[in-house]
Amino acid sequence: MKVALIGIGKIAQDQHVPAIHSSPDWELAATVSRKGSVAGVPAFDDLDRFLKERPDVPVVSLCMPPLPRFDYARAALLAGRHVMLEKPPGATLAEVHELEALARDRGLSLYATWHSRMAHAVAPAKAWLADKTIARGHITWHEDVRKWHPGQDWVFEPGGMGVFDPGINALSILTEILPRPVHLRQARLEFPSNRQTPIAAQLEFSGQITADFDWRQEGPQTWDITVETTEGTLALRTGGNVLEIDGRVVAGQSTIMGEYPALYARMAELVRTRSSDVDLSPMVHVSDALMLGRREITDAFHF
């Protein structure tokens, strides 16, 4: 199937393009971007022109920041295209609900992707926890914003989510592996004095689940989730790609490079069956944190 990438930035170049090129399901047939392009692929700088001139491309994958994404997704759906959304699926919950309804009414596929759910060890972790009694759990998600979003000031503007841009990856895993849902009880959010979104957050959920997100870590990055049960302790390392039970590695691979190929395989399945996959539970937790969180001002941040 032919697919177009809309928004050719770092995540598109690092993950989407290699995943599409390596897939037996997809051909990268076009790109739409004001600045970026992919060698050898027809490039457009205007979505409307692409939709008019390339009716042969039935699927679009949106990789731009969340704030402008709704208008692009809506236009694509109205033009009869199936739509794949980079995480988070939108800037607000309401706009994603509207896109879901539009896709359903037009018989099109809409996929709100969560790439961390495709990490190698997430499925076996979910299976191991399915019949366990959980005592407590904790997320430590510390990374360096300068490494992953170099100079991208939009992540600190309204709609950019700040530290919840990576933190929502952890929440997407948590909501996938827990046998029962949890809800947020309280949060503490650290806002740089010169920024509009938080650079760190500490969350407390029901079920004795806590989380510590920080975007200021230099050197080795930390993406860990531990869950203590009455039958042992589970730990997910490397962003959900390595599974340990009581300190022993039992599943997974220490690489994140399998996540996006799995997303595109899932999208191919959805398009073939004319179905959608839109789970907003990770985004609900972020929305709740921004609603309930106690705001604290910290040092100014500069790239």
Side-chain angles (χ1 to χ4, degrees):
M1 290 178 285
K2 294 180 179 180
V3 60
L5 279 180
I6 302 179
I8 307 299
K10 188 175 189 301
I11 192 65
Q13 296 283 11
D14 290 352
Q15 297 289 347
H16 289 263
V17 173
I20 293 169
H21 283 334
S22 66
S23 171
D25 296 306
W26 297 103
E27 171 196 344
L28 182 55
T31 64
V32 182
S33 177
R34 289 177 296 177
K35 297 179 180 179
S37 62
V38 176
V41 178
F44 295 80
D45 59 9
D46 180 78
L47 177 65
D48 291 336
R49 187 164 71 89
F50 159 74
L51 293 173
K52 181 180 180 180
E53 295 183 10
R54 295 299 302 271
D56 60 309
V57 183
V59 180
V60 299
S61 180
L62 304 187
C63 309
M64 76 277 288
L67 202 58
R69 200 177 297 154
F70 171 79
D71 290 337
Y72 283 79
R74 183 176 183 275
L77 289 168
L78 288 174
R81 315 303 170 94
H82 307 282
V83 173
M84 180 173 173
L85 301 169
E86 177 60 83
K87 66 87 189 175
T92 70
L93 292 163
E95 68 184 37
V96 185
H97 286 306
E98 183 174 339
L99 292 176
E100 185 178 19
L102 180 59
R104 181 175 59 250
D105 291 345
R106 291 180 171 261
L108 296 167
S109 297
L110 181 69
Y111 185 18
T113 69
W114 302 106
H115 66 81
S116 289
R117 285 185 175 175
M118 298 301 188
H120 294 294
V122 170
K126 179 179 181 178
W128 190 84
L129 286 173
D131 61 352
K132 304 295 188 299
T133 299
I134 295 173
R136 64 184 58 83
H138 183 69
I139 299 169
T140 304
W141 220 258
H142 293 181
E143 62 178 58
D144 185 354
V145 63
R146 291 185 176 94
K147 176 179 180 179
W148 301 103
H149 292 278
Q152 296 179 18
D153 287 296
W154 66 265
V155 299
F156 285 112
E157 291 297 319
M161 297 205 311
V163 76
F164 288 110
D165 178 89
I168 205 169
N169 295 334
L171 296 174
S172 73
I173 295 174
L174 185 75
T175 51
E176 178 71 9
I177 66 174
L178 290 184
R180 289 168 294 281
V182 296
H183 61 270
L184 189 73
R185 294 191 180 277
Q186 61 181 3
R188 183 171 71 91
L189 310 178
E190 297 180 50
F191 284 74
S193 60
N194 62 334
R195 300 293 183 172
Q196 296 294 315
T197 55
I199 199 166
Q202 295 79 46
L203 312 179
E204 295 184 17
F205 295 91
S206 60
Q208 299 297 309
I209 305 294
T210 56
D212 179 17
F213 300 153
D214 202 311
W215 232 355
R216 299 167 294 196
Q217 178 152 309
E218 299 178 358
Q221 311 287 276
T222 305
W223 301 300
D224 292 342
I225 300 175
T226 59
V227 182
E228 298 178 30
T229 79
T230 55
E231 299 178 46
T233 298
L234 172 149
L236 280 170
R237 312 290 188 194
T238 321
N241 283 287
V242 175
L243 173 62
E244 298 176 0
I245 302 297
D246 294 330
R248 183 172 63 90
V249 175
V250 298
Q253 301 177 39
S254 188
T255 174
I256 64 173
M257 294 308 293
E259 296 171 7
Y260 280 82
L263 292 180
Y264 277 95
R266 173 63 173 153
M267 184 62 183
E269 176 186 357
L270 292 174
V271 172
R272 291 188 185 107
T273 58
R274 292 274 175 160
S275 53
S276 292
D277 185 345
V278 184
D279 176 16
L280 297 182
S281 54
M283 198 170 170
V284 168
H285 287 317
V286 172
S287 179
D288 287 352
L290 293 173
M291 179 175 289
L292 291 177
R294 181 179 297 278
R295 181 186 177 113
E296 297 183 2
I297 304 300
T298 189
D299 295 340
F301 177 83
H302 301 278
F303 281 104

